[in-house]
Amino acid sequence: MRRNRKVKILATIGPASSSEEMLKKLFEAGADVFRINMSHTDHELMRTLVGRIRAVEAAVGRPIGILADLQGPKLRVGKFSNGKEALTVGQTFTLDDNPEPGTSKRVYLPHPEILSSVEAGHRLLIDDGKLELKAVKADGKSITCTVVAGSGISDKKGVSLPDTDLPVGALTDKDRADLDAVLATGVDWVALSFVQRPEDLAEARKIARGRALIMAKIEKPQAVARLPEIIDLSDALMVARGDLGVEMPIEAVPGIQKQITRAARRAGKPVVIATQMLESMITAPVPTRAEVSDVSIAVFEGADAIMLSAESAAGAYPVEAVGMMNRIATKVETDPTYAGIINAQRSEPDATGADAISLAAREIAETLKLSAIISYTASGTTGLRAARERPQVPIVALSPILSTARRLSLLWGTHCVVSEDATDLDDMVDRACRIALEEGFGKPGDRVIITAGVPLRTPGSTNMLRIAYIGSETH
């Protein structure tokens, strides 16, 4: 099955979409990668879901990527005597280390790292920003605050700290257990939540040891401030607009989304735009006009993937949501302005042989109006370089390694095919032309351009460029 669009669709699976039958429907509607949210999934269910996705993959004959999204450090207040309390703007409210039930004056905060890090003047946002507190005094055991906005607080609500750099990593004990479990099942991508600094990626990389690629979720101002370093240490980025819009001024999020997308494109790292893209389709069969515009902006910007969360995981219309996203993306990519916008944001290649070959392949393919760029890639590096160029013609990534093809299913404009290694140059050309014909990327007499690293299976050694005709006797 060939997609008629370049941007990929990432669908979260949950109660509304966890059966094998529904997963197949979501794939057929346009989902390229499935996300398992470990905040709501135990290990047994996760293994079941991975098994079902792999069964669908076998049935459709296409590599399908799986992203396991780790919960990250969830910071929450304790419980109240009455379950909830009304507060008034201007009153004093304290968060402390006393485990007694909370009142209208105070509440337990079971996070010593917050108590020791918050300083006077720092903001504390409770319940996704519905309550805003400002610290006036902090002594390591309690934080005395003034209520700036909001009218109440209740049990176990989340705490966001936009002004505070916490001395904790992105991995909790739960995350470490989840990471071991998902790696054992062979997932392709692991997303880290609440990354603050590049060091947060180091532990996950050490545990993963290359068994999965690491995606950094950008949802804190501290991460935005150190974006170049985080990009260097990650394999991909996710613009997690939900928490980003809580911890930073909501009006700043669109600009930050563009900054992250462009920085990731410059670095040749995949970037996913996520959260509330078609939110109204949780309960309605059609989205709002504003949501359609939001999705289209991410596509125009050249993001690698656009993501559905509750829309496909728990909504009433999961298949319709994926289908709608597919139609929006396909329409945008045929818009007369699309190619110009994508080209205008293209970055200069790095001074490497692989980048020079990828640039040349794009320019030759577009100048000669070739049918496809066909990239042999064992590690995925050649595919990444090809996608970074954002060519107008399709990219067909051929890999002898199934896990590489699954990982590349997240990549812009890339159609992944698992193929045996070529034995020599002639076999490489013949195989590329045959697959282009079989997969519908050309007909006899059309030309393709082939890139590869020679000798084969040498990671990152893209050094060969070849134009070839698809022959009627291609075999």
Side-chain angles (χ1 to χ4, degrees):
M1 180 183 290
R2 176 185 168 183
R3 304 289 194 211
N4 291 315
R5 58 173 157 76
K6 299 181 185 297
V7 71
K8 299 302 178 70
I9 293 175
L10 209 164
T12 304
I13 54 180
S17 54
S18 57
S19 70
E20 190 175 321
E21 179 188 16
M22 182 58 81
L23 290 168
K24 189 167 186 283
K25 287 181 180 177
L26 292 179
F27 174 82
E28 289 169 346
D32 301 290
V33 180
F34 288 111
R35 170 179 174 253
I36 299 173
N37 186 352
M38 295 307 295
S39 297
H40 309 298
T41 311
D42 62 28
H43 294 179
E44 184 179 356
L45 177 56
M46 179 272 298
R47 284 189 283 269
T48 300
L49 294 173
V50 170
R52 289 173 183 168
I53 295 167
R54 295 307 185 212
V56 171
E57 178 184 70
V60 300
R62 301 281 317 121
I64 298 175
I66 301 176
L67 169 73
D69 195 332
L70 303 183
Q71 177 176 287
K74 286 288 185 184
L75 308 172
R76 299 183 184 279
V77 299
K79 293 188 174 183
F80 291 83
S81 300
N82 301 319
K84 61 181 180 180
E85 291 289 346
L87 303 178
T88 56
V89 172
Q91 80 163 78
T92 298
F93 188 76
T94 301
L95 299 95
D96 57 35
D97 61 0
N98 177 4
E100 294 293 317
T103 67
S104 62
K105 302 293 183 187
R106 58 153 295 278
V107 71
Y108 176 45
L109 185 63
H111 300 287
E113 68 274 16
I114 298 179
L115 295 172
S116 63
S117 300
V118 170
E119 300 174 3
H122 286 192
R123 290 169 295 156
L124 295 90
L125 306 176
I126 315 293
D127 191 13
D128 289 339
K130 294 183 179 70
L131 175 68
E132 181 179 344
L133 308 176
K134 188 171 186 178
V136 292
K137 186 174 72 173
D139 59 12
K141 292 183 173 296
S142 67
I143 306 167
T144 304
C145 304
T146 300
V147 177
V148 176
S151 59
I153 187 172
S154 56
D155 292 350
K156 309 289 278 185
K157 290 302 181 189
V159 183
S160 299
L161 301 151
D163 304 325
T164 310
D165 194 354
L166 292 178
V168 293
L171 288 181
T172 63
D173 290 342
K174 169 180 162 52
D175 292 330
R176 292 183 188 95
D178 288 349
L179 182 54
D180 285 336
V182 300
L183 289 169
T185 65
V187 303
D188 310 293
W189 291 88
V190 173
L192 298 189
S193 298
F194 303 110
V195 170
Q196 293 187 94
R197 55 185 81 81
E199 294 82 6
D200 290 342
L201 297 160
E203 184 182 359
R205 281 206 169 283
K206 187 175 180 181
I207 295 170
R209 299 195 314 276
R211 288 176 288 168
L213 298 182
I214 305 297
M215 181 181 293
K217 292 170 67 177
I218 308 299
E219 49 197 329
K220 294 184 73 67
Q222 292 87 351
V224 175
R226 300 188 69 180
L227 188 62
E229 300 161 86
I230 288 170
I231 288 175
D232 282 345
L233 287 180
S234 63
D235 298 304
L237 300 181
M238 181 188 292
V239 187
R241 303 181 305 179
D243 282 285
L244 199 56
V246 171
E247 301 227 1
M248 301 189 77
I250 200 162
E251 64 274 15
V253 173
I256 293 167
Q257 175 178 316
K258 284 187 181 290
Q259 291 169 30
I260 296 171
T261 303
R262 293 184 184 191
R265 281 190 57 186
R266 279 195 300 274
K269 303 284 178 80
V271 58
V272 179
I273 309 299
T275 322
Q276 296 179 332
M277 300 210 82
L278 296 175
E279 184 87 350
S280 65
M281 288 194 75
I282 295 171
T283 55
V286 292
T288 65
R289 309 303 184 266
E291 288 166 340
V292 172
S293 181
D294 178 46
V295 172
S296 71
I297 287 168
V299 179
F300 273 122
E301 195 67 26
D304 288 81
I306 44 183
M307 191 177 103
L308 294 168
S309 299
E311 301 96 330
S312 58
Y317 303 96
V319 176
E320 291 84 352
V322 173
M324 176 59 68
M325 195 167 250
N326 179 60
R327 292 202 302 280
I328 296 167
T330 303
K331 187 65 176 176
V332 167
E333 291 178 6
T334 58
D335 188 272
T337 62
Y338 175 75
I341 293 170
I342 293 292
N343 291 346
Q345 294 162 21
R346 188 178 285 125
S347 55
E348 290 295 312
D350 294 337
T352 66
D355 268 47
I357 291 283
S358 298
L359 169 63
R362 174 184 64 78
E363 291 183 334
I364 292 168
E366 292 176 356
T367 301
L368 300 180
K369 295 184 168 43
L370 305 184
S371 294
I373 295 169
I374 302 185
S375 296
Y376 279 86
T377 180
S379 66
T381 305
T382 303
L384 281 165
R385 294 295 94 186
R388 183 193 187 207
E389 285 295 321
R390 296 295 191 263
Q392 293 174 22
V393 303
I395 303 164
V396 182
L398 305 185
S399 182
I401 302 169
L402 178 56
S403 60
T404 296
R406 288 169 172 166
R407 292 171 179 182
L408 294 181
S409 62
L410 185 73
L411 209 58
W412 186 96
T414 304
H415 179 85
C416 305
V417 178
V418 179
S419 170
E420 291 179 13
D421 245 347
T423 54
D424 55 32
L425 192 57
D426 287 341
D427 182 41
M428 179 189 293
V429 172
D430 186 57
R431 190 181 296 271
C433 291
R434 187 186 73 244
I435 288 171
L437 184 65
E438 291 172 351
E439 299 284 328
F441 287 93
K443 57 186 185 302
D446 288 350
R447 290 178 298 176
V448 296
I449 191 161
I450 303 161
T451 66
V454 181
L456 291 169
R457 289 217 186 204
T458 308
S461 69
T462 310
N463 58 9
M464 189 210 80
L465 205 58
R466 174 86 173 260
I467 299 172
Y469 279 93
I470 299 174
S472 56
E473 299 301 318
T474 297
H475 59 275

